[in-house]
């Protein structure tokens, strides 16, 4: 729709202008820093940052109803910069001019309802929100759209020069970082550091295809993270890991979209999300809290975090009911099919701890919970979902497995509707499905395939060499196998 055709009260706000006062706020000592510098942790105390809009009160001048109307109308506007996560511009990167915003088709991913059969099997209504339908096929694109728009803004300042963007990754961060950096061309080069042999062939192919420099090191993700941190501490590089608070901002869009999907009524709703480095659950909680601050939503949805038994430090932390007695202890991970969440020392843990406290304060104890699932449950749940029209990856399977556990334990009830995060596209993690079908999981995964979920191709050989007979012979074999009935009988 053309801007002149929008209602009079919406038109002046439709195309936003840069405003606001963003700073990095240290979560530990409270110090604030100018965003004109590339900073990831507090120079004084090494604490993590959140981005804070010091002029956020200007947004409160409008009632919640105004923002709901504006965001809903903006969906009809055909300006690329506002088509993706920046539809919610005022809540994401309000200081960046629209001309610096990068849009590669991220965000507004479909929310697909479980059909009657699947709902009956699981015992409650739910949706998968398919973040695998983002451009690099995972939710990481949301954060990269924000972080690279910011870098684009920085490198376009006079005298800025070239920049090297770097990240460690369990696979999907590097795919997203490489994709968005490649869009910026010469001005931003990218390098990714991956744990050798611990990412899927698809995830390795993605940054290679985008032209990034790909460096592999022995070990697991946590080892890569240490190397990248040493680089960021000592050299001029832009770090694109979860420490990067711009990424968290972009990922908040997942919460905004869920609110918009339900017409901003989140009573009796819950959101289920796998936890790895804990950036995503941080962003989702923060996103809902900020909508609540602005009266855009009245009710906070419940949040359910899910971890595999093979990488469960956040689950273990919350096992202790007494907040004062909780101590965070990193774990050594074991192989997990939810490989993108196979992290023993989540970077965003300090953010999670604070946000859970705030969430509990506003929405009551039990409004955020973390459950643990087995590798077997993850695989079975993924296959169950995908046999009912979904495209869940192993982490999406982890969401469904966690949802089922929460229903069994009474943490969630069948009167609630859940939105399950399918964090990546099924095809990125297809090797695990293959191992299930072929029963070739190494024993440490502890997965025993269930025959009803296994599937494999069946090779048919024609019983004749005569080219004239071959087609009829194969058609006959197939008709017999599928027990087809002859026409007219
Ligand atoms: C990164 C990732 C996760 C884990 O998200 P965190 O923000 O690290 O907790 C889960 N699933 C997929 C597919 C991912 O790429
Ligand atoms: Zn500090």
């Amino acid at each position: 729709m053309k801007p002149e055709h929008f209602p009079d009260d919406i038109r002046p706000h439709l195309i936003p202008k840069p405003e606001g006062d963003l700073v990095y706020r240290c979560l530990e000592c409270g110090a604030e820093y100018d965003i004109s510098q590339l900073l990831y942790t507090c120079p004084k105390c090494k604490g993590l940052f959140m981005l804070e809009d010091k002029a956020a009160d200007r947004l409160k001048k409008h009632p919640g109803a105004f923002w709901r109307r504006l965001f809903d109308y903006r969906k009809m506007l055909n300006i690329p910069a506002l088509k993706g996560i920046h539809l919610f511009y005022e809540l994401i990167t309000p200081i960046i001019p629209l001309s610096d915003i990068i849009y590669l088709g991220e965000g507004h991913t479909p929310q697909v309802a479980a059909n009657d059969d699947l709902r009956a099997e699981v015992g409650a209504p739910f949706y998968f929100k398919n973040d695998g339908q983002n451009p690099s096929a995972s939710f990481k694109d949301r954060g990269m759209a924000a972080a690279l728009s910011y870098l684009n803004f920085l490198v376009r300042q006079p005298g800025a020069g070239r920049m090297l963007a770097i990240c460690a990754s369990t696979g999907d961060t590097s795919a997203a970082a490489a994709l968005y950096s490649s869009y910026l061309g010469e001005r931003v080069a990218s390098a990714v550091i991956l744990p050798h042999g611990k990412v899927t062939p698809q995830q390795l192919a993605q940054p290679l295809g985008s032209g990034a420099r790909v460096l592999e090191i022995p070990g697991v993700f946590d080892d890569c993270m240490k190397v990248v941190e040493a680089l960021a501490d000592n050299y001029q590089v832009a770090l694109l890991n979860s420490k990067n608070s711009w990424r968290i901002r972009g990922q908040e869009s997942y919460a905004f979209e869920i609110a918009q999907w339900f017409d901003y009524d989140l009573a009796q709703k819950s959101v289920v999300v796998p936890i790895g480095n804990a950036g995503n659950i941080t962003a989702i909680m923060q996103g809902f809290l900020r909508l609540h601050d602005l009266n855009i939503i009245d009710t906070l949805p419940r949040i359910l975090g899910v971890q595999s038994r093979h990488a469960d430090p956040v689950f273990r932390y919350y096992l202790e009911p007494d907040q004062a007695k909780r101590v965070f202890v990193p774990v050594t991970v074991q192989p997990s099919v939810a490989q993108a969440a196979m992290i023993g020392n989540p970077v965003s843990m300090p953010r999670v701890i604070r946000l859970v406290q705030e969430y509990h304060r506003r929405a009551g104890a039990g409004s955020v919970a973390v459950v643990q699932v087995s590798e077997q449950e993850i695989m079975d749940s993924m296959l169950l979902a995908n046999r009912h029209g979904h495209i869940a990856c192993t982490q999406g399977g982890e969401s469904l497995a966690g949802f089922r556990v929460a229903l069994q334990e009474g943490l969630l009830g069948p009167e609630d509707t859940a939105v399950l995060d399918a964090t990546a596209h099924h095809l990125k993690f297809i090797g695990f499905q293959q191992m299930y079908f072929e029963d070739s999981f190494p024993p440490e995964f502890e997965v025993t395939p269930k025959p009803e979920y296994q599937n494999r191709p069946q090779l048919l050989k024609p019983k004749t060499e005569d080219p004239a007979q071959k087609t009829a012979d194969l058609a006959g074999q197939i008709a017999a196998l599928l027990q087809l009935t002859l026409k007219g009988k």
Side-chain angles (χ1 to χ4, degrees):
M1 188 151 95
K2 292 194 165 129
E4 59 267 33
H5 296 147
F6 284 79
D8 290 343
D9 63 326
I10 293 297
R11 213 180 310 120
H13 307 277
L14 201 55
I15 303 172
K17 290 189 189 62
E19 55 173 19
D21 183 9
L22 284 187
V23 295
Y24 298 118
R25 172 79 59 202
C26 173
L27 283 185
E28 301 304 324
C29 76
E32 76 177 51
Y33 300 90
D34 198 310
I35 55 153
S36 63
Q37 338 165 42
L38 287 170
L39 279 182
Y40 309 100
T41 47
C42 178
K44 286 193 198 128
C45 79
K46 294 272 165 204
L48 270 186
F49 291 138
M50 288 293 262
L51 277 169
E52 182 183 305
D53 190 343
K54 291 212 295 173
D57 276 350
R58 78 186 183 284
L59 304 173
K60 291 190 184 154
K61 287 197 198 111
H62 296 286
F66 164 83
W67 293 112
R68 296 194 286 264
R69 236 169 100 75
L70 178 63
F71 295 146
D72 289 352
Y73 270 111
R74 217 178 250 164
K75 277 196 130 178
M76 287 188 275
L77 186 65
N78 294 315
I79 294 181
L82 297 171
K83 274 285 174 207
I85 61 163
H86 290 96
L87 177 108
F88 307 99
Y89 177 84
E90 291 83 350
L91 304 181
I92 299 191
T93 55
I95 48 109
I96 298 179
L98 290 192
S99 55
D100 288 341
I101 283 177
I102 304 169
Y103 168 65
L104 300 186
E106 69 288 338
H108 306 288
T109 51
Q111 219 173 275
V112 180
N115 68 9
D116 292 345
D117 287 348
L118 184 57
R119 169 206 290 227
E121 169 110 24
V122 169
F126 69 96
Y127 295 83
F128 269 112
K129 184 162 167 66
N130 284 338
D131 258 23
Q133 286 177 263
N134 278 302
S136 81
S138 86
F139 76 81
K140 301 293 199 301
D141 293 327
R142 297 178 179 276
M144 290 304 165
L148 272 295
S149 294
Y150 164 66
L151 282 190
N152 194 28
F153 168 69
L154 280 189
V155 294
R156 284 173 156 207
Q157 307 290 324
R162 268 178 102 241
M163 195 167 301
L164 178 69
I166 195 163
C167 68
S169 174
T170 54
D172 293 332
T173 298
S174 50
L179 178 67
Y180 282 78
S181 305
S182 72
Y183 193 76
L184 294 180
E186 283 296 295
R187 280 167 295 147
V188 177
S190 74
V192 307
I193 302 192
L194 300 174
H196 179 65
K198 302 281 182 348
V199 304
T200 73
Q202 295 79 351
Q203 290 172 316
L204 180 59
Q206 286 186 292
L208 288 172
S210 297
R213 193 69 191 267
V214 178
L215 305 165
E216 297 188 289
I217 64 168
V220 294
F221 169 80
D222 297 295
D223 301 301
C224 298
M225 190 66 205
K226 286 182 197 140
V227 172
V228 166
E229 278 173 5
L231 287 170
D233 283 346
N234 298 302
Y235 299 91
Q236 272 294 344
V237 290
L239 186 73
L240 290 178
N241 274 104
S242 307
K243 285 210 168 159
N244 183 315
S245 35
W246 296 89
R247 281 186 54 203
I248 302 288
R249 276 261 162 168
Q251 288 172 204
E252 287 178 37
S253 60
Y254 189 82
F256 304 158
E257 289 171 19
I258 290 175
Q260 189 169 43
W261 179 281
F262 288 114
D263 296 320
Y264 308 95
D265 178 4
L266 297 179
Q268 307 247 282
K269 302 291 185 305
S270 52
V271 178
V272 184
V273 52
I275 307 178
N277 228 352
N280 206 23
I281 192 165
T282 294
I284 291 171
M285 287 190 288
Q286 170 86 348
F288 286 122
L289 287 169
R290 288 177 63 226
L291 293 181
H292 194 243
D293 283 338
L294 295 174
N295 300 314
I296 297 173
I297 57 171
D298 298 329
T299 313
L300 288 166
R302 286 171 197 253
I303 307 288
L304 181 76
V306 189
Q307 293 211 294
S308 160
R309 281 193 197 147
H310 287 184
D312 60 355
V314 185
F315 169 77
R316 285 163 185 267
Y317 176 82
Y318 285 106
L319 270 183
E320 167 58 60
D322 184 351
Q323 190 178 307
K325 288 200 199 135
R326 284 181 195 141
V327 216
F328 182 73
V329 185
V331 303
T332 305
V333 295
Q334 291 161 261
S336 172
V337 297
Q339 195 167 264
M342 206 176 95
I343 293 173
N345 191 12
V347 162
S348 286
M349 196 61 202
R351 291 173 173 144
V352 171
I353 293 172
R354 268 153 210 272
L355 288 167
V356 169
Q357 278 171 14
E358 178 61 16
Y359 219 96
H360 282 169
R361 199 181 62 72
R362 289 200 215 175
S367 56
V368 186
V370 182
V371 294
Q372 184 204 45
V373 295
S374 68
E375 294 293 309
Q376 181 77 46
E377 290 169 314
I378 296 174
M379 283 308 297
D380 292 345
S381 294
M382 177 189 89
L383 292 164
L384 173 71
N386 294 351
R387 294 172 84 95
H388 290 87
H390 297 281
I391 50 169
C393 62
T394 43
Q395 293 73 213
E398 187 176 15
S399 294
L400 178 53
F403 181 50
R404 294 164 100 181
V405 167
L407 289 169
Q408 280 153 22
E409 293 183 357
L411 294 171
L412 298 176
E415 65 287 354
D416 294 335
T417 299
V419 177
L420 276 49
D421 197 340
T423 47
H425 197 286
H426 171 53
L427 290 175
K428 278 205 182 206
F429 297 86
I430 205 68
F432 294 113
Q433 174 181 289
Q434 198 62 18
M435 286 195 229
Y436 194 100
F437 290 170
E438 293 170 353
D439 195 5
S440 60
F441 272 108
E444 55 274 24
F445 280 93
E446 302 171 295
V447 176
T448 310
K450 292 202 167 71
E452 66 267 33
Y453 292 149
Q454 278 179 315
N455 203 358
R456 57 180 68 222
Q458 190 176 348
L459 179 63
L460 302 178
K461 297 205 174 97
K463 295 202 173 67
T464 162
E465 286 303 306
D466 179 357
Q469 299 293 319
K470 245 188 207 171
T471 306
D473 172 66
L474 287 170
Q477 287 190 46
I478 291 170
L481 276 172
L482 302 180
Q483 298 177 316
L484 302 182
T485 321
L486 278 171
K487 276 191 181 164
K489 287 273 156 101

